[in-house]
Amino acid sequence: MPNGFSSELLHNLDMDEQNLIKRRMNVLGSSYKLMYHHPVEFVRGDGMYLYDAAGVPYLDCYNNVVSVGHCNARVAEAVARQISTLNTHTRYLHPAILDYAERLLATFPAPLKRVMFACTGSEAVDLALRIAFSHTGADGVIISEFAYHGTTMTASSVSPSLGQSVPLGQHVRTVRAPLAYREEVADVGLRLARDVEEAIDDLERHGIRFAAFLADSIFSSDGLASDPAGFLQPVIEVVHRRGGLYIADEVQPGFCRTGDAFWGFQRHHIVPDIVVMGKPMGNGMPISACVTAPDFLEQFSQCRYFNTFDGNPVSIAAAAAVLSELQERDLLKNCRTVGALLKGKLQALQKKYDCIGDIRGTGLYWSIEFVKDQKTKEPDAALTLAAVNALREAHILVSTFGLYENCMKLRPLLIMEPQHVDQFADSLDCVLERLTVQQHAVY
Amino acid sequence: MPNGFSSELLHNLDMDEQNLIKRRMNVLGSSYKLMYHHPVEFVRGDGMYLYDAAGVPYLDCYNNVVSVGHCNARVAEAVARQISTLNTHTRYLHPAILDYAERLLATFPAPLKRVMFACTGSEAVDLALRIAFSHTGADGVIISEFAYHGTTMTASSVSPSLGQSVPLGQHVRTVRAPLAYREEVADVGLRLARDVEEAIDDLERHGIRFAAFLADSIFSSDGLASDPAGFLQPVIEVVHRRGGLYIADEVQPGFCRTGDAFWGFQRHHIVPDIVVMGKPMGNGMPISACVTAPDFLEQFSQCRYFNTFDGNPVSIAAAAAVLSELQERDLLKNCRTVGALLKGKLQALQKKYDCIGDIRGTGLYWSIEFVKDQKTKEPDAALTLAAVNALREAHILVSTFGLYENCMKLRPLLIMEPQHVDQFADSLDCVLERLTVQQHAVY
């Protein structure tokens, strides 16, 4: 993890922090990583901010899970009420899960009219693949080069961004994400469609039948590929012509994040075959889902399937409250308008700083790609990491991502307001001014 | 699912129930199943009881998830408080996860001193297998003949009880569970160990290296194999001698359920290599975990691993409250003493009814095996199903399980009291009296 804490930095921290970290190392599995050179510890959250023990507010431009706000009152009340009333499972009748399912499915075009719940995005991706494999009788999967789709054995086998230690499945092929900034072709959609077709050919050459193309419509793990909206149309045409299913991983772009539409795939005017959602669905309560067409479930419904916690009344209460917040406060519109302000600020910074190679994104998901200079486009991962850590010291939360680890990831909460955009942009300006002066001093 | 509702029975229900079920069929994936010929709908829960809309209490002898009681006040308050205060993730420092991890690990013998959290038992089983595969560099797995370990692609590939439609992994072998009632050998432990060794031989004959034996120490999906405690000792000796890991799936027997010890494996005086837990851990909040030794995580920690919701402060608050309830109310002792009462009642019923072939279990997990008669031991799945549905009409919740679908599954909440045992036993007596009279009338 590029933006991770290393225990070599332990001596820089105060004793309380050192003790907490040592306790972590003594009880948690060694895979657990902390963010930042100076890890953060929060004691409460409220709206756009997390607060440390000294009461210092940190502007949250990173945690897309809590998209309707930290400790959102409507969600908290719904959970508190339900957990004191009833918490069971889907093998008993309960109208709340049906009310929610009907409201959720109303956000989807036909024929996406069936939902299956799970607890995490990983589980939902895993379930989507099980459904796709059972429907097609095939298991070849195509993903993007630096995709992340989850942590189960199967989800991790389609998550190359987890690194060399996690093997891709033998039935998995990757294609380059359509990041226009580093493309040499005019039409990224056609290039991607061609690559997908070649990957299908390669699967078949190895005796593996093509089952599914699995992608996040903004390729968020690859460093963000948002434009031009519509570039996925040639891909879905190839996928369907070759007999596969198109699985849209909406864990990142879903629930209004892109500002253009409730679901990321809608920006491209395509209709996927299976849609996976998670993270912000319950504002932090573990709930996720697969939505698909009844036809694609026919084969899978021969299997016994039950997930103890899936669709439990407490998680459903949280998800229903989130949906109400999104719809009644029109956070899609807020995301679009505040996102446009943010875009303007980022473009102004790009004009000022030669180290900002590219600004791309949509709604409230943005990538700032740092380079040695705008002409060579040589990635600058060190500067990216320094900027992220400097922003943390300025009490603003963001992180890094992308194939070259040189992109700053911005995913502020959907309740962001113009003054938060100013706070972020001013802080980034200060940070870059300082860091680029230091850089020039080094050269 | 043997105890499932079939839509052919729809016309027996009242209009409100029919409408709810039709709405379910219109929005939920067709894999979703309801229990009972007459599905239940509850509006609230309290302690040992669930209540329907008319206020009728149903004695819960089935839902082991809510083991410290429906709508347990301590859990509900902990969740309500935390969700209004802070909900983040494990990449920020948070002392509560460490406090809980230390308390949880204190219940384990050395060297089981590291924990990794997840959200569901399926995820934890999946993670345990990833850890075992990375440590051993092998992927051969041995499970029991009718095991259930979860719903992810990988967990379902080691869950033969899901039926013929869900393929077992090519690297998976099964052994017969040690159900003494149907064994022909004197020492079930030695028989099981011999079968495991043969399965390892068979894996190796097919070029598959042995990675792990994965089992629930009471073989709950197979129909319950509780005695004699200690029968797993010869198995773990074979597993270790052949270079594999022993993964204890404690989702069912863990957290005091067996009455003998906090963890089911402790009844056998063995120390597994990886322990998986889930269901009752958060009394219905989605939280699960893997506990293992630091050594077994060394290889796996090369992988990036992060689960958005795992170990989040709200789930941890629920789990901490559950642990306090178990320990401060000494529910292990309650489970043992009330379980002994239940055992006595069941044995008395067995003397009265020739259709009860076997009574087995420990603590508050019991299996009543129904047969045509005690001499032939011929399984009677029809009677089992009739009894479960009759108990539902008598407002008592249980279900069926086992290889022959002829076992009644009893998993009452751990807060069960003597009067609940009486209520259950009296109701079962009435039900069996009626059903066996009907049976004889048929013959």
Side-chain angles (χ1 to χ4, degrees):
Chain A
M1 190 172 84
N3 178 29
F5 171 75
S6 156
S7 54
E8 290 158 25
L9 300 169
L10 198 60
H11 64 276
N12 292 338
L13 308 182
D14 72 30
M15 285 312 294
D16 285 349
E17 290 167 328
Q18 289 194 30
N19 285 337
L20 272 183
I21 291 172
K22 285 177 189 162
R23 284 176 66 199
R24 264 176 78 102
M25 291 164 63
N26 277 332
V27 293
L28 300 187
S30 39
S31 308
Y32 279 91
K33 299 281 182 281
L34 289 165
M35 281 179 142
Y36 303 117
H37 291 164
H38 181 181
V40 287
E41 180 191 348
F42 298 116
V43 299
R44 69 181 184 92
D46 185 11
M48 280 293 294
Y49 292 93
L50 287 166
Y51 295 82
D52 68 16
V56 176
Y58 287 65
L59 181 69
D60 194 346
C61 295
Y62 181 70
N63 289 297
N64 57 338
V65 168
V66 283
S67 69
V68 299
H70 283 287
C71 301
N72 178 288
R74 190 176 201 155
V75 175
E77 280 159 24
V79 166
R81 195 182 320 117
Q82 190 61 49
I83 201 169
S84 296
T85 308
L86 179 74
N87 199 17
T88 54
H89 50 76
T90 55
R91 283 182 171 168
Y92 301 154
L93 285 169
H94 196 256
I97 191 177
L98 305 179
D99 296 341
Y100 177 69
E102 288 165 358
R103 291 175 62 201
L104 180 70
L105 291 173
T107 68
F108 284 91
L112 299 171
K113 293 300 174 188
R114 291 293 182 277
V115 60
M116 295 185 70
F117 295 100
C119 294
T120 66
S122 299
E123 281 194 329
V125 163
D126 199 293
L127 176 59
L129 289 171
R130 287 188 69 194
I131 292 168
F133 293 176
S134 71
H135 176 73
T136 59
D139 69 353
V141 179
I142 297 170
I143 50 170
S144 66
E145 194 179 18
F146 208 63
Y148 175 74
H149 295 292
T151 64
T152 66
M153 184 103 64
T154 297
S156 69
S157 80
V158 291
S159 295
S161 70
L162 292 174
Q164 296 291 334
S165 305
V166 181
L168 294 184
Q170 296 185 6
H171 53 98
V172 173
R173 296 294 182 274
T174 64
V175 292
R176 193 153 42 89
L179 277 72
Y181 179 59
R182 293 184 183 278
E183 290 276 353
E184 281 159 15
V185 296
D187 190 324
V188 291
L190 285 178
R191 195 276 299 156
L192 183 65
R194 207 161 45 233
D195 286 0
V196 168
E197 184 124 39
E198 282 177 18
I200 297 170
D201 290 341
D202 186 59
L203 283 170
E204 293 186 349
R205 182 67 190 83
H206 290 82
I208 301 163
R209 287 183 46 230
F210 174 52
F213 176 66
L214 166 62
D216 158 1
S217 64
I218 53 172
F219 295 85
S220 43
S221 178
D222 294 88
L224 214 63
S226 50
D227 292 289
F231 69 70
L232 287 171
Q233 288 175 13
V235 181
I236 197 168
E237 188 277 320
V238 168
V239 169
H240 285 159
R241 180 161 45 75
R242 299 295 293 264
L245 299 187
Y246 187 107
I247 305 175
D249 184 341
E250 289 279 340
V251 169
Q252 298 283 346
F255 290 105
C256 305
R257 174 58 56 181
T258 67
D260 288 338
F262 200 92
W263 300 107
F265 65 81
Q266 293 173 316
R267 298 178 66 239
H268 293 275
H269 300 286
I270 60 172
V271 179
D273 302 304
I274 306 178
V275 178
V276 170
M277 66 209 72
K279 285 199 197 297
M281 191 170 182
N283 212 49
M285 286 291 288
I287 181 167
S288 65
C290 274
V291 166
T292 187
D295 287 353
F296 298 132
L297 288 170
E298 237 169 58
Q299 199 59 35
F300 185 71
S301 67
Q302 305 303 312
C303 305
R304 227 182 84 194
Y305 177 86
F306 175 67
N307 177 320
T308 302
F309 300 130
D310 101 69
N312 73 72
V314 174
S315 295
I316 290 289
V322 169
L323 195 51
S324 297
E325 286 285 274
L326 290 173
Q327 291 174 335
E328 292 175 22
R329 294 169 65 180
D330 200 354
L331 291 179
L332 179 62
K333 185 177 167 201
N334 187 66
C335 179
R336 188 163 53 238
T337 53
V338 177
L341 285 179
L342 179 59
K343 179 181 182 176
K345 294 279 186 181
L346 297 180
Q347 285 174 328
L349 288 171
Q350 188 182 18
K351 284 201 184 106
K352 182 171 173 188
Y353 295 101
D354 193 43
C355 62
I356 299 183
D358 193 30
I359 297 292
R360 55 182 177 270
T362 175
L364 284 169
Y365 205 136
W366 288 86
S367 175
I368 307 177
E369 180 153 358
F370 289 97
V371 292
K372 300 285 187 190
D373 58 76
Q374 293 180 353
K375 204 167 160 200
T376 65
K377 298 186 179 180
E378 189 186 337
D380 195 340
L383 177 63
T384 315
L385 188 60
V388 164
N389 277 292
L391 281 172
R392 174 254 176 269
E393 295 302 330
H395 310 130
I396 291 182
L397 303 174
V398 296
S399 194
T400 63
F401 69 146
L403 186 56
Y404 308 107
E405 301 177 357
N406 69 322
C407 296
M408 183 181 285
K409 175 155 64 170
L410 308 185
R411 297 178 308 195
L413 284 51
L414 298 186
I415 58 168
M416 193 181 213
E417 295 174 17
Q419 72 268 24
H420 304 127
V421 173
D422 291 341
Q423 185 188 348
F424 170 76
D426 293 348
S427 299
L428 181 58
D429 191 8
C430 288
V431 159
L432 290 181
E433 196 155 290
R434 185 159 51 78
L435 288 175
T436 50
V437 165
Q438 284 171 1
Q439 266 196 330
H440 290 134
V442 170
Y443 298 147
Chain B
M1 191 171 83
N3 179 28
F5 171 75
S6 156
S7 54
E8 290 158 24
L9 300 168
L10 198 60
H11 64 276
N12 293 338
L13 308 182
D14 72 30
M15 285 312 294
D16 284 350
E17 291 168 328
Q18 289 194 29
N19 285 337
L20 272 183
I21 291 171
K22 285 178 188 161
R23 284 176 66 198
R24 264 175 79 102
M25 291 165 64
N26 276 333
V27 293
L28 300 187
S30 39
S31 308
Y32 279 91
K33 299 280 183 281
L34 288 165
M35 282 179 141
Y36 303 117
H37 292 165
H38 181 180
V40 287
E41 181 191 347
F42 298 116
V43 299
R44 70 182 184 92
D46 185 12
M48 280 293 293
Y49 292 94
L50 287 166
Y51 295 82
D52 68 15
V56 176
Y58 286 65
L59 181 68
D60 193 346
C61 295
Y62 181 71
N63 289 297
N64 57 339
V65 168
V66 283
S67 69
V68 298
H70 283 287
C71 302
N72 177 287
R74 190 175 201 156
V75 175
E77 280 159 24
V79 166
R81 195 182 320 117
Q82 190 61 49
I83 201 169
S84 296
T85 307
L86 179 73
N87 200 17
T88 54
H89 50 77
T90 55
R91 284 184 170 166
Y92 301 154
L93 285 169
H94 196 255
I97 190 177
L98 305 179
D99 296 341
Y100 177 70
E102 287 164 359
R103 291 175 62 201
L104 180 70
L105 291 173
T107 68
F108 284 92
L112 299 170
K113 293 300 174 188
R114 291 293 182 278
V115 60
M116 295 184 71
F117 295 100
C119 294
T120 67
S122 298
E123 281 194 328
V125 163
D126 198 293
L127 176 59
L129 289 171
R130 286 188 69 194
I131 292 168
F133 293 176
S134 71
H135 177 73
T136 59
D139 69 353
V141 179
I142 297 171
I143 49 169
S144 66
E145 195 178 16
F146 208 63
Y148 174 74
H149 295 292
T151 64
T152 65
M153 184 104 63
T154 297
S156 69
S157 80
V158 292
S159 295
S161 70
L162 291 175
Q164 296 291 334
S165 305
V166 180
L168 294 183
Q170 296 185 5
H171 53 98
V172 173
R173 296 293 182 274
T174 65
V175 292
R176 193 152 42 89
L179 277 72
Y181 179 60
R182 294 184 184 277
E183 289 276 353
E184 281 158 15
V185 297
D187 190 324
V188 291
L190 285 178
R191 196 275 299 156
L192 183 65
R194 207 162 46 234
D195 286 359
V196 168
E197 183 124 39
E198 282 177 18
I200 297 171
D201 290 341
D202 186 60
L203 283 170
E204 292 185 350
R205 182 67 189 84
H206 290 82
I208 300 163
R209 288 183 48 229
F210 174 52
F213 176 66
L214 166 63
D216 158 2
S217 64
I218 53 172
F219 295 85
S220 42
S221 178
D222 294 87
L224 213 63
S226 50
D227 292 290
F231 68 70
L232 286 171
Q233 288 174 14
V235 181
I236 196 168
E237 188 276 320
V238 168
V239 169
H240 285 159
R241 179 161 47 74
R242 299 295 293 265
L245 299 187
Y246 186 107
I247 305 175
D249 184 340
E250 289 278 342
V251 169
Q252 298 283 346
F255 290 104
C256 304
R257 174 59 54 181
T258 67
D260 288 338
F262 200 92
W263 300 107
F265 65 81
Q266 293 173 316
R267 298 178 67 239
H268 293 275
H269 300 286
I270 61 172
V271 179
D273 302 304
I274 306 178
V275 178
V276 170
M277 65 209 72
K279 286 199 197 298
M281 190 170 183
N283 211 49
M285 286 290 288
I287 181 167
S288 65
C290 274
V291 165
T292 186
D295 287 354
F296 297 133
L297 288 170
E298 239 170 56
Q299 200 60 36
F300 185 70
S301 67
Q302 305 304 312
C303 306
R304 227 182 85 194
Y305 177 85
F306 175 67
N307 177 320
T308 302
F309 300 129
D310 101 69
N312 73 72
V314 173
S315 295
I316 290 289
V322 169
L323 195 51
S324 297
E325 286 285 275
L326 290 173
Q327 291 175 334
E328 292 175 22
R329 295 169 65 178
D330 200 354
L331 291 179
L332 179 63
K333 186 177 166 200
N334 187 66
C335 179
R336 188 163 52 239
T337 54
V338 177
L341 286 179
L342 179 59
K343 179 181 182 176
K345 294 280 186 180
L346 297 180
Q347 285 174 330
L349 288 170
Q350 188 182 19
K351 284 199 185 108
K352 182 171 173 188
Y353 295 101
D354 193 43
C355 62
I356 299 184
D358 193 30
I359 297 292
R360 55 182 177 271
T362 175
L364 284 169
Y365 205 135
W366 288 86
S367 175
I368 308 176
E369 179 153 359
F370 289 97
V371 292
K372 300 284 187 191
D373 59 76
Q374 293 180 353
K375 204 167 158 199
T376 65
K377 299 186 179 179
E378 189 186 337
D380 196 340
L383 177 63
T384 315
L385 188 59
V388 165
N389 277 293
L391 281 172
R392 174 254 176 269
E393 295 302 330
H395 310 131
I396 291 182
L397 303 174
V398 296
S399 194
T400 63
F401 69 146
L403 186 56
Y404 308 107
E405 302 177 357
N406 70 322
C407 296
M408 183 182 285
K409 175 155 65 171
L410 307 185
R411 296 179 307 195
L413 285 50
L414 299 185
I415 57 168
M416 192 181 213
E417 294 175 18
Q419 73 268 24
H420 304 128
V421 173
D422 291 341
Q423 185 188 348
F424 171 76
D426 292 348
S427 299
L428 181 59
D429 191 7
C430 288
V431 159
L432 290 181
E433 196 155 290
R434 184 159 50 79
L435 288 175
T436 51
V437 166
Q438 285 172 1
Q439 266 196 329
H440 290 134
V442 171
Y443 299 148

